[in-house]
Amino acid sequence: MTRAYNFGAGPAMLPTEVLQQVQAELLDWHDSGMSIVEIGHRTEAFKALITEVETDLRELLVIPENYQVLFITGPARAQFAMIPMNLLGEAATADYLTTGVWSDMAAKEAQRFSAINRVNEAAQLNFKTIPEPNTWRLNANAAYFHYTVNETINGVEFHFIPEMGEVPLVCDMTSSLLSRPVDISRFGIIYAGTQKNLAPAGMTIVIIRDDLLKRKAVHPIPSVYDYRVLHEQHSLYYTPATFVCYVAGLTLKWLKKQGGLAAMAAINQRKAQLLYEYIDSSEFYRNEVAVACRSWMNVPFILSNNELNDEFLQQAKKAGLTALKGHSLVGGMRASLYNAMPEAGVHALIDFMKHFAKNYG
Ligand SMILES: *Cc1c(COP(=O)(O)O)cnc(C)c1O
């Protein structure tokens, strides 16, 4: 068996140990005589599983008691609608900061529900930096402030938490949750699709502060999209994505074994630094994101000659380095360095890039 170093942005690489455990116990989970995918979500066994997933998540992220965790079936993008549906309330407006493709999409979806306020001029940014907070045009009556901590496509990441006073921070952490410690108490809502850094696709984790669960929606919303209903039913209102919950649980145990999020942060920072240092030292490759907001998780880079892109990808694949093609909106390459990417994978990538530059530069 050879496993490639998979640099795809998502669904993304998972730790081999986690997949091996899935494989080993797929037919008979915990002596039940059944597979985890065949077990009812209302059984004691599954309730114990989902409770343990929440406990481990709370422990790793140090989630305060006045925050609730929801396991919501579906894509992260569903939150782009669920957030305005659930949170706009009487204020009927919210602030949106745009630093890349995902935050722009979140704003566009929210605009379908209300006249939200875009705090910056997205079109002029070209998504290579985060505009200075003192230039954001904030609305004092905003129901919340939405931003995307790590722009998976553009490789732009916040290395600070915006200061918003009383206005709750709502943050899309899909591509960076669990990559380092985070002060949850600074946020109103954090959400993250599972397929980038935790588990297979199919589920979104929402961490929500108690007072926001109590906000009254102004319009009726479908029960399956209502945070209050999902919370009251402990994420078992409908059949949850049981397999995704299970794999998420295994990944959380793996993270604990690695030493938790402080240990992951050190590794992730080191991996990203290695790659940026090489790119910056090279004449052949370039990363155009402002240094202060470069992503640890997704490193986009371009070759000095775009016509070599296909050759680069083909040869990389032969060398066991897969899914390096950049998003079509940005072009070039992108190396995603989530938790499951070992440092050896980054070294292998840099060695390959050096070799390629020498042959084609
Ligand atoms: C991948 C991604 C999404 C979209 O995830 P889906 O589950 O496909 O909706 C949203 N936000 C960010 C930051 C992402 O990386």
Side-chain angles (χ1 to χ4, degrees), residues 158-311:
F158 280 77
H159 296 288
F160 66 96
I161 300 176
E163 195 59 69
M164 283 299 138
E166 293 300 301
V167 177
L169 278 184
V170 174
C171 187
D172 181 352
M173 290 202 186
T174 294
S175 49
S176 64
L177 188 70
L178 295 160
S179 66
R180 77 205 73 180
V182 54
D183 182 357
I184 305 282
S185 72
R186 299 279 301 277
F187 294 87
I189 294 188
I190 288 168
Y191 64 97
T194 47
Q195 75 274 26
K196 306 281 165 73
N197 211 8
L198 185 62
M203 191 169 88
T204 300
I205 289 177
V206 172
I207 302 167
I208 180 168
R209 209 173 58 206
D210 280 342
D211 59 299
L212 297 178
L213 268 174
K214 293 190 189 105
R215 272 201 195 172
K216 284 232 178 328
V218 237
H219 302 291
I221 53 181
S223 307
V224 293
Y225 297 145
D226 189 332
Y227 289 144
R228 300 150 205 84
V229 173
L230 302 182
H231 168 59
E232 278 157 20
Q233 305 286 326
H234 304 285
S235 299
L236 295 173
Y237 173 63
Y238 48 70
T239 314
T242 55
F243 181 70
V244 184
C245 281
Y246 155 75
V247 180
L250 299 184
T251 306
L252 295 172
K253 298 275 185 223
W254 179 85
L255 285 171
K256 285 167 76 169
K257 228 168 72 187
Q258 308 309 305
L261 300 190
M264 290 319 299
I267 298 168
N268 288 326
Q269 184 174 25
R270 204 157 59 225
K271 289 187 308 194
Q273 210 167 343
L274 278 171
L275 186 51
Y276 286 118
E277 267 170 21
Y278 170 62
I279 291 172
D280 288 344
S281 74
S282 137
E283 304 265 289
F284 191 80
Y285 305 100
R286 205 161 74 241
N287 170 284
E288 297 184 328
V289 177
V291 172
C293 40
R294 282 174 165 181
S295 170
W296 292 3
M297 294 283 102
N298 311 94
V299 182
F301 60 92
I302 46 180
L303 277 53
S304 59
N305 175 0
N306 264 329
E307 286 172 9
L308 290 169
N309 285 355
D310 287 345
E311 190 62 28

Side-chain angles (χ1 to χ4, degrees), residues 101 128 153-154 286 288 299-303 306 309 313 324-335:
V101 172
K128 305 249 185 276
I153 293 173
N154 307 88
R286 205 161 74 241
E288 297 184 328
V299 182
F301 60 92
I302 46 180
L303 277 53
N306 264 329
N309 285 355
L313 290 166
L324 280 159
K325 193 174 164 57
H327 193 281
S328 57
L329 290 171
V330 173
M333 307 297 152
R334 171 177 49 177

Side-chain angles (χ1 to χ4, degrees), residues 2-14 301 312-326 333-338 341 345-346 348-349 352:
T2 27
R3 277 185 45 83
Y5 291 122
N6 173 2
F7 293 92
M13 191 170 182
L14 287 172
F301 60 92
F312 181 92
L313 290 166
Q314 272 174 29
Q315 291 196 20
K317 197 168 165 205
K318 271 196 217 138
L321 311 166
T322 61
L324 280 159
K325 193 174 164 57
M333 307 297 152
R334 171 177 49 177
S336 296
L337 312 177
Y338 300 123
M341 176 59 65
V346 180
L349 174 62
F352 170 78

Side-chain angles (χ1 to χ4, degrees), residues 37-52:
V37 298
E38 303 168 312
I39 288 174
H41 61 293
R42 303 207 183 275
T43 57
E44 288 311 313
F46 185 78
K47 281 185 192 162
L49 181 150
I50 199 169
T51 303
E52 195 168 331

